[in-house]
Amino acid sequence: MDGLRNIEKGFTIWLTGPSGAGKTTLAVKLARKLREMGYRVEILDGDTIRKTLYPELGFSKEAREMHNRIVIHMARLLSRNGVIAIVSLISPYRAVRERARKEIGDFIEVYVYAPLEVRIQRDPKGLYARAMRGEIKGLTGYDGVYEEPENPEVRVDSSRMTPEEEVEAVIEKARELGYLP
Ligand code: PPS
Ligand code: MG
């Protein structure tokens, strides 16, 4: 499509889930689809933001909360200026995600799920292997806390759905909620 389609208000698509569940994959596919539809889109990926801004931060509860607060702020700034912010962030704490919902306002929470066996099998960065060897502690979804969403707008299971089906499910929900025509 030629040119950009202006939506008055942007919104945030918040992809939460443990490491290896498929957040980044879905974020990239969603961004591509929404850009093809003519929207302004920005991906805020936790892993990338950490590496760019504070590679030494680490994964304590306090570190994660501080980092997640920064991402909430970024998503809020983008969303209120007509951009669709796609956040791909483990965001393991329910209270932090509730804060995101409250502060951003126009918000779709997507729980990106895959069973542990599947995440271990995929293990693209070798993190589960390292956790199993005891080389790292507190890997989210293995021996680290992940508080599952109770009422996400969308839940996708990447072990049963194709990324295209996941993209469709999110876009359909965005339409249903009036964020997209
Ligand atoms: S968080 O919990 O919201 O601060 O996480 P996030 O910013 O999304 O960063 C997750 C990526 O960091 C890598 N990594 C770990 N994740 C979880 N727990 C531990 N202990 C850990 N150590 C390193 C990992 O590559 C995560 O990326 P994804 O894409 O989620 O696999
Ligand atoms: Mg990722």
Side-chain angles (χ1 to χ4, degrees):
M1 180 184 159
D2 283 333
L4 283 171
R5 272 164 86 161
N6 278 317
I7 38 177
E8 284 234 337
K9 284 191 101 202
F11 59 97
T12 291
I13 301 171
W14 189 280
L15 310 179
T16 174
S19 183
K23 301 180 299 297
T24 302
T25 302
L26 175 55
V28 169
K29 302 256 179 189
L30 249 178
R32 187 171 305 153
K33 174 75 179 179
L34 289 165
R35 284 186 184 122
E36 276 169 17
M37 292 163 74
Y39 298 110
R40 290 176 211 277
V41 179
E42 195 62 55
I43 296 177
L44 301 173
D45 187 272
D47 208 15
T48 309
I49 291 169
R50 283 171 167 277
K51 286 179 182 139
T52 311
L53 295 182
Y54 28 66
E56 309 305 327
L57 182 69
F59 292 89
S60 68
K61 183 167 198 271
E62 292 69 29
R64 291 184 202 242
E65 284 176 346
M66 193 276 295
H67 160 55
N68 286 188
R69 280 205 306 276
I70 291 171
V71 179
I72 292 171
H73 185 67
M74 290 174 170
R76 192 166 90 92
L77 297 182
L78 290 166
S79 292
R80 74 179 187 201
N81 283 287
V83 177
I84 302 173
I86 302 176
V87 172
S88 146
L89 186 71
I90 292 179
S91 46
Y93 302 110
R94 208 172 278 137
V96 171
R97 296 192 303 265
E98 286 317 307
R99 181 190 176 118
R101 176 183 295 281
K102 210 169 125 215
E103 289 192 8
I104 297 167
D106 299 296
F107 189 81
I108 300 178
E109 183 177 7
V110 181
Y111 178 21
V112 183
Y113 170 85
L116 178 62
E117 318 82 83
V118 173
R119 285 184 272 124
I120 288 175
Q121 215 171 22
R122 287 180 184 153
D123 204 13
K125 299 170 213 161
L127 288 170
Y128 286 91
R130 287 174 60 198
M132 285 189 272
R133 291 196 298 266
E135 292 167 15
I136 54 171
K137 294 251 171 292
L139 176 63
T140 307
Y142 185 70
D143 60 348
V145 179
Y146 180 74
E147 297 174 357
E148 291 199 317
E150 280 168 345
N151 280 304
E153 275 73 18
V154 184
R155 179 184 185 278
V156 297
D157 179 343
S158 69
S159 71
R160 293 167 180 270
M161 296 164 79
T162 65
E164 290 69 29
E165 288 169 338
E166 296 175 19
V167 165
E168 267 322 298
V170 175
I171 289 180
E172 199 183 299
K173 181 57 75 174
R175 290 206 169 100
E176 195 183 305
L177 294 172
Y179 295 128
L180 292 175

